[in-house]
Amino acid sequence: MYLELRGIRKTFDGAVALEGIDLSVGEHEFVCLLGPSGCGKTTLLRIVAGLLPFDGGSITLGGHDLSALPARKRGFGIVFQSYSLFPNMTVAENVGYGLRIRGESRDRIAARVTELLALIKLPDYAQRYPHQLSGGQQQRVALARALAVDPALILLDEPLSALDARVRTDMRAEIHEVQRRLRIPTIMVTHDQEEALTLADKIVCMHDGRVEQVGSPSDLYLRPQTRFVANFVGLSNLLPTDWVRQAMPALLATRPDGASDRFEACLRPESLRIAADAQGPGRVREMTFMGNLTRLRVDWQGRELLVEQHGAAGLSQGAPVRLDMEPGQCAWVRV
């Protein structure tokens, strides 16, 4: 692995912020640190960047110890949520700033700025100032500035959270395209599960200063290992073993060994098949049409289950229904 963190520990005034964090980033990998506010993901990113000291553990890049290396010598590109562009500099001057302080020639800086403005699709904006740009354009310029110095690693700290939904979606695609084209290893902090699922090769789901689960987007969505991951990544129906034994016994075929109170069944709403059935034991309590899908809440044998279907469901509120599911689509999570 290109970047290796082992046993990283950090406290603030005696309070544990990170405990025993292990993280590996491949040479061309896009890794998302995903979790709720306060879980430690930004603290971890700042430690990687060299902006925060840590209390225990090790960090290596390409086999070289980074522990004593200051941030300015790590050669990383950092993009913050707030853009942090210099307001008195043009776009070209902002993008070329890192090269200028490294003593690069004017011709080299001009060529690199031209190359990067084309890459971020702002080739005609070189002489504009930050206040003349939209939020999405400013974030692109911040990304280009980070890329200008040919960084060994890109660190993104919730770079899209200040943008509106449509611009955020567009920028997500742009970041994905740039990272895939340049193949620079990247770590991004986000609390947005959609961003993580869309962008990441690997997701590190964090909770209370610890890593809950590491895996591909499909691993975390289809095979969550803990109740927290099942709840945080996507929507889920979490069902106790004793209820499953009575209402959906076929699902027990994939249940791990252990006491009943140690595991719950995780059923994703789209994996449940719903059909009108005059003799069915279920009732549609609520329906929400969302354009490409319909979300239904169904009373089913003493519990309320969430079900999703593509398009219109063809059912009405109060309709009797039956539910079916293949055992292989059920994940069992630790409580």
Side-chain angles (χ1 to χ4, degrees), residues 2 62 87 96 99 114 127 138 144 147 166 169 185 188 214 231 247 266 279 285 296 306 316 319 321-322 335:
Y2 186 62
L99 294 171
T114 298
Q127 298 310 310
Q138 290 186 55
L147 294 170
R166 180 58 185 268
T169 299
M188 185 173 87
V214 178
N231 262 329
C266 171
Q279 305 303 315
R285 169 179 287 190
L296 305 97
L306 194 63
S316 58
V321 294
R322 70 174 185 274
V335 177

Side-chain angles (χ1 to χ4, degrees), residues 180-221:
R180 288 293 183 268
R181 186 183 304 180
L182 300 180
R183 297 172 64 79
I184 299 174
T186 300
I187 302 176
M188 185 173 87
V189 164
T190 182
H191 62 268
D192 187 321
Q193 56 177 293
E194 188 174 328
E195 282 180 12
L197 292 171
T198 302
L199 288 169
D201 299 309
K202 180 165 67 184
I203 297 175
V204 180
C205 189
M206 298 180 64
H207 179 51
D208 286 344
R210 297 177 182 272
V211 173
E212 285 276 327
Q213 185 174 345
V214 178
S216 68
S218 61
D219 283 338
L220 268 70
Y221 187 80

